[in-house]
Amino acid sequence: MSLVTPSLELQSDLATIVGDVHVLASPNTRNFSIDDVVPATVVSPGSPEEVAAVLRFASEQRLSILPAGGMTKQSAGYTPGKIDILLRTNRLNSLQHYDPGDLTVGFGAGISIDESQRILADHNQFLPLDVAHPDRATIGGVLATNSHGPMKTGYGGIRDFCLGIQFVTSDGKIAKGGGKVVKNVAGYDLMKLLIGSYGTLAVITSANFKVFPRPRQLRTFIAEFATIRETMVFRDSVMRLPLVFLAMEVISPHAHEYLQTAGDARDPDHYRPAAPVKPHDHWGLMLRAAGSDNVLARYARDLGNSVQPLAGVEEATLWAAIAAFEALVAKRYRNTMLMSVNTTINSVAGMLDAAERAATEQNMLFAAVGRASLGNFIVTFTPLSVDPPSAMQYANVASALRASLLEDGSAVVLRCPKEAKPHFEMWGTTRTDLTSMRAVRAALDPPQTLNRGRFLI
């Protein structure tokens, strides 16, 4: 484990900004290690002004800063060379504003997804953010990683209902993009630029959202097929129906095993497999709908006898497990590689076939869960051998999967053993926009203070 000892002067300077109690020094920062690299210092600013002061100080001292929310997505990206300062947003957790009648809300970046949903639930409203670890995952972290879950099918991703953000650049300037209402003044769309930038351009301190009425009644319709090709044929027929689904998920045969959880799937840290685990040899298509009894009866009629309905506690448990899929797999198998794959909807079957072939060739177990009507998937590869897997097994699987994608597809490694990371690209290759990405980084963070060496740029 790599340890960096901070100077007493560094601790003192940071304590002057945020207070002694909000500065933690190595080796007491071990719980915040990333790929066994332990931050020299962990700071928790309590306001955008304190964030700005910390960033300004780090930029002047040429120190590296790693922004962090709930630490649920820090396995993505390359191993950091060192972490001078890990900047937590946990104290930026206030409700900024809330207008239930206007369906708008603003939260500090450090508020957890669970807490934000509890606030909205008082007015039967919610944000469609069904991500793993909702008790720890934060608004700012979800924005920075552009995370999404099954409800992206019905509501869109966080880019679609985020109205505005406040952020701090590496030189300590507080700025904003977008606004508080649905109709905003046109201009540079800095909001969407920062969403998915993995903390490399600025530190997000708060965000405004459009919220949605909470569905009162939900039902899931499950169809099972022998092959992915049959599954896609059924998906295509469903997409031609005059029906709107909140979620439409493809589940590979082995993925069913991970979804059979005992306990609360919303808390993957305490996940354990159901016993006994029921083996599966079929592909599944999970269709989730909302509405009155009459509306849901219409769904059942139009879908026909090829689906089985699921409702109540079992239905909610299933979707909690699907949302937590990547966390459930990672918790169970330490050496698993997880990839986020985006492809066209017409290429889903070919991509999944290629992933399964690559896994077989490298003696790995393949599983996948994803948005059938969008082409967004989490694909996992788990070594079957009891011997430690080689770095080239991971590299070969990733290469084969990426080779199967069309030009506008992508496959990003969300998690793999740190020993394998130096041997292949975590983010894949970008054909068209790397130059412009570097130009944006040079404009917003010239000294590369933020998340240095972990992202594409």
Side-chain angles (χ1 to χ4, degrees):
M1 183 172 285
S2 175
L3 294 169
V4 178
T5 303
S7 68
L8 293 176
E9 183 179 1
L10 171 61
Q11 294 179 58
S12 176
D13 288 337
L14 292 173
T16 300
I17 298 171
V18 303
D20 288 324
V21 71
H22 303 302
V23 178
L24 189 66
S26 175
N28 298 319
T29 57
R30 290 175 185 268
N31 289 339
F32 300 96
S33 67
I34 297 168
D35 288 343
D36 290 335
V37 178
V38 179
T41 312
V42 175
V43 299
S44 299
S47 68
E49 290 74 21
E50 289 186 358
V51 173
V54 171
L55 289 176
R56 193 159 45 245
F57 169 77
S59 182
E60 292 169 354
Q61 300 297 316
R62 309 293 293 182
L63 301 173
S64 64
I65 283 191
L66 194 152
M71 301 290 291
T72 64
K73 290 285 188 178
Q74 294 292 355
S75 59
Y78 299 104
T79 299
K82 66 173 181 173
I83 307 171
D84 294 316
I85 302 171
L86 186 141
L87 189 153
R88 299 186 68 198
T89 60
N90 59 303
R91 295 177 63 211
L92 306 174
N93 59 0
S94 63
L95 172 65
Q96 306 278 306
H97 65 88
Y98 183 22
D99 187 342
D102 198 34
L103 296 176
T104 58
V105 71
F107 291 116
I111 195 169
S112 72
I113 302 304
D114 267 354
E115 180 59 24
S116 66
Q117 301 289 27
R118 277 193 288 270
I119 292 170
L120 299 173
D122 289 340
H123 294 274
N124 292 316
Q125 295 173 347
F126 82 122
L127 286 171
L129 296 175
D130 46 349
V131 296
H133 297 293
D135 59 324
R136 289 166 41 205
T138 63
I139 287 291
V142 172
L143 285 164
T145 58
N146 195 23
S147 297
H148 59 83
M151 282 191 290
K152 184 181 180 183
T153 299
Y155 295 95
I158 196 168
R159 287 174 182 265
D160 300 300
F161 50 86
C162 182
L163 303 176
I165 59 173
Q166 183 188 70
F167 58 94
V168 182
T169 59
S170 66
D171 58 355
K173 290 186 174 67
I174 300 174
K176 66 178 182 178
K180 292 184 179 180
V181 296
V182 174
K183 293 184 178 179
N184 286 309
V185 177
Y188 291 114
D189 201 345
L190 291 173
M191 176 180 67
K192 288 188 171 62
L193 181 67
L194 293 181
I195 295 173
S197 63
Y198 280 82
T200 57
L201 301 179
V203 176
I204 298 170
T205 54
S206 64
N208 305 316
F209 298 96
K210 176 175 68 175
V211 300
F212 299 86
R214 184 179 293 276
R216 294 185 177 182
Q217 186 173 207
L218 296 163
R219 190 159 301 162
T220 294
F221 302 93
I222 302 174
E224 297 178 347
F225 302 94
T227 67
I228 183 58
R229 302 287 172 176
E230 293 175 84
T231 308
M232 292 298 96
V233 169
F234 183 72
R235 177 208 63 181
D236 292 344
S237 68
V238 168
M239 291 179 65
R240 289 192 290 269
L241 295 173
L243 303 175
V244 176
F245 293 96
L246 303 186
M248 185 183 297
E249 292 290 288
V250 167
I251 313 293
S252 75
H254 287 295
H256 289 282
E257 174 187 341
Y258 304 117
L259 302 180
Q260 295 179 67
T261 61
D264 187 358
R266 287 164 47 84
D267 184 10
D269 285 341
H270 295 93
Y271 157 81
R272 62 188 188 279
V277 173
K278 178 184 175 183
H280 288 267
D281 59 0
H282 60 265
W283 290 81
L285 186 67
M286 313 296 183
L287 307 165
R288 198 179 202 189
S292 65
D293 288 339
N294 289 337
V295 168
L296 293 174
R298 162 73 186 276
Y299 276 82
R301 286 195 304 272
D302 285 4
L303 290 172
N305 296 328
S306 56
V307 300
Q308 296 296 319
L310 186 67
V313 174
E314 288 184 329
E315 196 263 0
T317 300
L318 170 65
W319 288 102
I322 291 174
F325 174 69
E326 60 184 272
L328 294 174
V329 178
K331 179 67 176 178
R332 189 166 177 183
Y333 295 110
R334 183 176 59 85
N335 287 328
T336 292
M337 179 168 72
L338 295 95
M339 300 186 73
S340 173
V341 183
N342 297 300
T343 189
T344 64
I345 61 172
N346 292 328
S347 304
V348 167
M351 180 274 292
L352 293 173
D353 279 343
E356 190 166 23
R357 284 196 304 272
T360 300
E361 290 170 358
Q362 298 299 322
N363 195 31
M364 290 184 166
L365 180 68
F366 154 83
V369 163
R371 274 82 279 176
S373 61
L374 301 176
N376 307 147
F377 281 79
I378 299 296
V379 181
T380 73
F381 302 95
T382 304
L384 291 172
S385 173
V386 296
D387 298 322
S390 71
M392 292 313 298
Q393 282 180 273
Y394 298 100
N396 291 339
V397 164
S399 178
L401 174 55
R402 287 165 175 160
S404 74
L405 300 176
L406 299 178
E407 186 170 345
D408 53 354
S410 66
V412 171
V413 177
L414 297 177
R415 178 185 294 269
C416 74
K418 63 182 178 64
E419 295 81 6
K421 288 188 174 185
H423 298 278
F424 65 109
E425 296 284 346
M426 295 293 99
W427 302 99
T429 56
T430 175
R431 299 173 175 84
T432 59
D433 55 0
L434 189 58
T435 300
S436 60
M437 290 171 68
R438 285 174 174 159
V440 171
R441 176 72 182 262
L444 291 178
D445 181 20
Q448 297 204 356
T449 300
L450 295 166
N451 229 4
R452 187 179 298 163
R454 301 192 67 214
F455 193 44
L456 272 165
I457 49 176

